[in-house]
Amino acid sequence: MGLSADEIGIVLLSLKVALTSVALSLPVAIVMAYLLARFDFPGKTLVDALVHLPLVLPPVVVGLALLVLFGRRGVIGAWLDQWFGIVFAFRWTGAALAAAIMGFPLMVRAIRLSFESLDGRLETVARTLGGSRAWVFVSVTLPLSASGIVTGAVLSFARCLGEFGATITFVSNIPGETQTLPLAIYSFTQVPGADARAWRLSAMAVLLSVAALVAAEWIARRKLFSFRGVKS
């Protein structure tokens, strides 16, 4: 597509942010989806609403909340900076955090549906054979729900690639540090004569997003993973 060196850098940064977001949020999403799918507890409706809140909130509100919590002077950010030297604000790691939060609901929903569609009798039989809940979860539930887990991860990845509002509010638009594909496209649309660069990056964003969505749909339909690694 004739991308320049700095445009390739923008694409690579976007991929790094999206992949990091998915890797960090996937374990939490699996646990949360399992709790919502398998347990009834006080406040479950509230927890479910909080998980899906980023889907309905304006992204800039999420970004502002992240700035208040994880900024250098934020409630959590100041503590992390002082004791561990971890800084999220105006860093690519902050972009990954913002993207992870925005993609989290999609990931949890896909994984939860996969857990709920699983025949619970299989887990019951495994437990009657002496397996603990943790062993059954790792050896039975996860393998049988692998397609849903992968689908949720891919959908979250696609959402992370397109994240704009929370990212620009929390970590700004810094070339080479936090300027992902959506932010770069926005910047180029504001610069006279940079329309070609904006179109090239837009085309790349479309290609990456479509590829991720097609992969998610293909995985969901094919059920590539099943118990003991046997195709179904």
Side-chain angles (χ1 to χ4, degrees):
M1 298 177 62
L3 297 177
S4 64
D6 61 327
E7 290 167 353
I8 293 174
I10 291 169
V11 174
L12 293 177
L13 176 61
S14 299
L15 292 173
K16 180 170 73 169
V17 167
L19 290 172
T20 302
S21 301
V22 171
L24 293 178
S25 58
L26 184 57
V28 181
I30 290 174
V31 173
M32 182 59 66
Y34 186 72
L35 290 175
L36 293 174
R38 288 288 187 264
F39 296 93
D40 289 320
F41 51 88
K44 179 178 178 179
T45 301
L46 178 60
V47 172
D48 191 28
L50 290 175
V51 168
H52 290 86
L53 193 59
L55 285 179
V56 295
L57 277 178
V60 292
V61 175
V62 176
L64 181 60
L66 288 173
L67 193 59
V68 171
L69 292 174
F70 291 95
R72 283 185 175 272
R73 299 182 180 179
V75 178
I76 302 175
W79 180 77
L80 290 175
D81 186 17
Q82 179 179 357
W83 292 98
F84 301 100
I86 299 174
V87 178
F88 286 103
F90 310 112
R91 302 283 179 86
W92 76 269
T93 49
L97 176 61
I101 291 175
M102 297 304 297
F104 189 72
L106 293 175
M107 186 184 292
V108 171
R109 183 166 182 79
I111 299 173
R112 179 181 178 180
L113 290 175
S114 182
F115 286 152
E116 289 177 342
S117 66
L118 178 64
D119 190 346
R121 291 175 297 181
L122 296 173
E123 296 171 310
T124 301
V125 170
R127 294 194 65 187
T128 59
L129 293 175
S132 65
R133 182 179 293 275
W135 182 87
V136 172
F137 176 73
V138 172
S139 62
V140 177
T141 307
L142 286 183
L144 289 175
S145 305
S147 291
I149 294 171
V150 174
T151 300
V154 174
L155 289 174
S156 178
F157 173 79
R159 178 64 183 86
C160 291
L161 282 177
E163 164 50 33
F164 178 83
T167 302
I168 198 170
T169 304
F170 180 38
V171 296
S172 190
N173 186 6
I174 305 172
E177 182 65 36
T178 66
Q179 191 177 70
T180 56
L181 274 168
L183 275 62
I185 293 168
Y186 172 78
S187 296
F188 290 146
T189 59
Q190 310 301 309
V191 178
D195 291 348
R197 304 186 72 184
W199 278 112
R200 285 197 297 271
L201 290 181
S202 296
M204 179 59 68
V206 170
L207 286 175
L208 291 173
S209 298
V210 169
L213 293 174
V214 169
E217 181 65 19
W218 186 69
I219 291 169
R221 289 179 179 272
R222 297 270 302 179
K223 293 185 178 180
L224 293 182
F225 304 93
S226 60
F227 192 46
R228 292 183 180 176
V230 180
K231 284 189 177 182
S232 59

